[in-house]
Amino acid sequence: MTPPSKSQAKAEAKRAFLIEQATACLAEKGYANVSLRDIAKESGVSLGILHYYFASKEDLLLAVIASYKERLIDELEREVVAAPLDSWLPALVTVLGRSLQEDRKLHRLWYDLQAQALYTPVFLEQVHRIRARLHDLIVRMLRRLQAERQASLAMDENAASSIVYSLIDGMILQSLLDEDKPAAEALALFQFAVQHFLASLFPLDQK
């Protein structure tokens, strides 16, 4: 692969910087309360420069969400999917707990995007794309568990993946809504729910 030229590398670095600045601004105030002019001001660039890299506020939000979710998916791949099977669930709880602590406002932005997606087709495409990648990770974990336990799932793997995803999504949303409760409570309930769900998936397996 040909390495990027100096000008390309500079443009990529500038775009990454603007995404970083926009992430802080959008995560703090929410999509509806921030304009491109606000983000340009926070970034120390002109509105024209910001428009050079991002055609619209929608385009910038998609870039912010893609960057944040890409990082989370990489962490899940590295620390959960590739983890030994006897420690994948504690690893998942650790990753989600760290994400809730460090990226709480970005999770809020993700739910903001999903609400906007009900009315904006381009947002809906991005939501479907990200959810599909997360479902793929879950299916791969379920297949590893089937192979390790030498047992078939008690339901279709796509249905099982949807339930696991809903458990994760619901736990994160509940934690965001319960500001007065520590995230550890939501994580403990989530781990309990997943363990019981897995027992229903492998009813004859006692591992």
Side-chain angles (χ1 to χ4, degrees):
M1 181 181 295
T2 304
S5 65
K6 288 184 178 181
S7 60
Q8 288 174 322
K10 185 177 180 181
E12 289 173 5
K14 186 69 170 181
R15 189 174 191 276
F17 167 76
L18 292 173
I19 289 175
E20 181 181 345
Q21 296 298 305
T23 297
C25 198
L26 289 166
E28 179 66 33
K29 300 178 181 178
Y31 175 76
N33 300 317
V34 175
S35 68
L36 281 180
R37 190 175 299 279
D38 295 328
I39 295 171
K41 183 178 180 180
E42 290 290 330
S43 304
V45 301
S46 68
L47 186 59
I49 290 293
L50 191 60
H51 269 299
Y52 175 80
Y53 288 94
F54 303 99
S56 63
K57 189 170 77 165
E58 290 82 2
D59 186 32
L60 184 51
L61 175 61
L62 292 177
V64 166
I65 291 294
S67 176
Y68 137 68
K69 282 296 184 181
E70 193 67 39
R71 176 164 52 82
L72 178 59
I73 288 171
D74 285 346
E75 291 176 2
L76 291 170
E77 284 271 14
R78 184 175 62 255
E79 299 182 38
V80 181
V81 177
L85 282 171
D86 61 354
S87 63
W88 74 269
L89 184 53
L92 175 59
V93 172
T94 297
V95 170
L96 293 177
R98 185 174 65 234
S99 184
L100 270 172
Q101 181 178 7
E102 298 176 359
D103 298 322
R104 196 172 188 86
K105 291 178 180 178
L106 285 173
H107 285 299
R108 288 168 54 187
L109 194 58
W110 166 242
Y111 288 105
D112 194 355
L113 174 69
Q114 291 185 91
Q116 296 287 338
L118 296 174
Y119 308 97
T120 310
V122 67
F123 287 171
L124 189 59
E125 291 174 14
Q126 177 79 320
V127 167
H128 284 322
R129 190 178 304 116
I130 291 171
R131 287 169 64 101
R133 291 192 62 191
L134 292 169
H135 277 289
D136 178 66
L137 292 184
I138 296 169
V139 167
R140 285 161 52 196
M141 277 304 310
L142 291 173
R143 289 175 180 173
R144 285 188 67 197
L145 289 170
Q146 287 183 85
E148 189 266 345
R149 299 179 184 219
Q150 298 182 343
S152 298
L153 294 174
M155 66 176 68
D156 177 79
E157 68 178 20
N158 289 323
S161 171
S162 293
I163 293 173
V164 173
Y165 180 88
S166 295
L167 287 172
I168 296 172
D169 193 62
M171 181 276 296
I172 294 174
L173 179 58
Q174 192 63 47
S175 180
L176 296 178
L177 293 173
D178 291 339
E179 288 285 352
D180 58 331
K181 294 182 180 179
E185 289 187 20
L187 288 164
L189 181 59
F190 165 72
Q191 186 166 4
F192 176 82
V194 171
Q195 287 171 333
H196 278 262
F197 178 60
L198 289 178
S200 72
L201 282 179
F202 300 101
L204 301 179
D205 186 277
Q206 300 301 315
K207 294 182 181 181

